[in-house]
Amino acid sequence: MGSTPPILIVSDLHLDVEPGPTLSEFLQFLEGPVRAASALYVLGDLFDYWVGDDAGFAAAEKLADAVSALPLPVSFQHGNRDFLLGNAYAERAGMTLAPEELPVEFEIGEALLMHGDSLCTADTEYLRFRDVVRRPDWQQAFLARPLAERIAEAERLRGISRGAGQMKASDITDVHPDAVAEVLRRHDRSLLIHGHTHRPAIHHFPVDGRPCMRCVLPSWDGVPGYLAVDAHGLRLLTLDGRDYPVASGVPSSPA
Ligand code: MN
C-alpha cells in the first residue's frame, strides 16, 4: 500500500500564445510532482484558445517538447477553449486525445473525467454555440481559413466569452445538479472530476440515494493547483504540495 505513484489531474491552465508565468509554472510542475506520478490527465483548457495544430505558437511548441519527454502516459480532454486541438499536436506532444466523457479505473475506484462545460446546462446560449462549433463541418471550414483570420476570430470569441461570463448569474455558469446526476447515472459512477467552472472544491451529494463526490479542479489563472489520486484517496493540492485553500483533504474513497 502507498507504493503506487499517484495519478495527477489538472485543467484550465489557459496558456497564452506566448510563453508566460503559467507556462513556467507548468514546466516546473512537469519536472517536479509529475516526474513522481504514474499518469497525468489534462481535463481541457490547457490553452486559452486553439486555432489549429499548424499555428506553431511558441508556448504550445515549448509545452509539446516538455510533455513528449515525460516517461508516463498523458491524456488530454478538450475544453471549451481548446476544442480544436487535433491529432497532429497531440501526437507531437505524446498525449492521448481522450473523449469528452472519460470513464477511468483508479486504485480508489471508478471515476468519470470531464472538462465540465457540457454540464452547465442552464447556460442555453453557450450550449447553442457549443453545438455549432463542435460540428465537423464547422471545424473543417474554420481550420481551412488563413491563420491570421482564425486568430482574429479566436480573439474576438474570447472577448465575447469573457464579457458574457461576467454578465451571467453564477448559478448559470456553474454545473447543473441534474446534468451531474444524469452523467454519473449514465456511466454508473459515483465520482466525477472536472474543471471549467474555476470553483475548486470537493462536493458530497447523493444520486438516487448513492453517495457521490464531485471534485472541481482549480484554474491556474487564480491559485494554480492539481488533484492527486492514489490508493488512499483524493487530495486537491497547490503547486508546493499543500492542501488547496478552499478544500480539505478527503481521505475516504467514494462509495
Ligand atoms: Mn472551460
Side-chain angles (χ1 to χ4, degrees), residues 25 67 101 111 123 137 207 233 252:
E25 284 174 321
V67 172
E101 295 174 4
D123 193 349
D137 61 335
V207 173
S252 60

Side-chain angles (χ1 to χ4, degrees):
M1 286 289 280
S3 58
T4 308
I7 288 157
L8 304 188
I9 309 175
V10 296
S11 76
D12 300 278
L13 279 85
H14 293 279
L15 294 174
D16 236 314
V17 166
E18 293 300 326
T22 307
L23 178 64
S24 303
E25 284 174 321
F26 189 61
L27 295 178
Q28 275 179 31
F29 173 67
L30 296 181
E31 286 309 311
V34 174
R35 287 275 163 181
S38 60
L40 174 67
Y41 290 88
V42 181
L43 307 193
D45 287 359
L46 176 56
F47 298 100
D48 208 31
Y49 61 73
W50 194 263
V51 294
D53 293 1
D54 59 332
F57 292 140
E61 293 305 309
K62 273 190 133 171
L63 183 87
D65 288 341
V67 172
S68 62
L70 291 171
L72 49 99
V74 180
S75 297
F76 170 83
Q77 274 178 317
H78 290 124
N80 54 305
R81 302 301 195 94
D82 52 13
F83 60 91
L84 284 170
L85 195 152
N87 283 314
Y89 182 80
E91 239 168 71
R92 151 122 173 69
M95 308 189 296
T96 303
L97 273 186
E100 66 179 273
E101 295 174 4
L102 179 65
V104 289
E105 192 80 47
F106 291 151
E107 264 187 288
I108 51 157
E110 297 174 324
L112 181 66
L113 310 184
M114 296 177 73
H115 178 61
D117 58 315
S118 62
L119 300 171
C120 301
T121 49
D123 193 349
T124 51
E125 184 192 33
Y126 168 68
L127 289 183
R128 273 199 303 275
F129 168 79
R130 188 182 197 276
D131 281 346
V132 173
V133 300
R134 296 296 175 106
R135 285 197 330 240
D137 61 335
W138 185 92
Q139 297 195 352
Q140 275 162 25
F142 181 82
L143 292 173
R145 291 164 67 181
L147 181 59
E149 272 184 35
R150 283 180 267 152
I151 292 171
E153 182 65 6
E155 295 278 0
R156 193 183 68 83
L157 288 173
R158 178 165 69 170
I160 291 174
S161 158
R162 281 191 179 150
Q166 284 157 7
M167 294 294 290
K168 283 172 186 165
S170 69
D171 59 336
I172 287 179
T173 56
D174 204 352
V175 299
H176 195 286
D178 292 349
V180 170
E182 186 279 325
V183 82
L184 285 172
R185 215 177 268 133
R186 183 154 47 79
H187 287 277
D188 191 26
R189 292 291 191 275
S190 57
L191 171 60
L192 172 65
I193 299 167
H194 71 86
H196 180 67
T197 62
H198 301 193
R199 294 169 209 204
I202 294 177
H203 301 277
H204 297 261
F205 55 98
V207 173
D208 308 330
R210 179 191 197 181
C212 289
M213 246 166 79
R214 178 168 70 89
C215 180
V216 190
L217 299 164
S219 154
W220 287 41
D221 294 339
V223 178
Y226 63 96
L227 183 74
V229 185
D230 64 15
H232 307 290
L234 317 176
R235 282 178 79 191
L236 266 181
L237 299 168
T238 57
L239 292 184
D240 55 6
R242 279 184 263 194
D243 281 327
Y244 201 86
V246 302
S248 56
V250 178
S252 60
S253 54

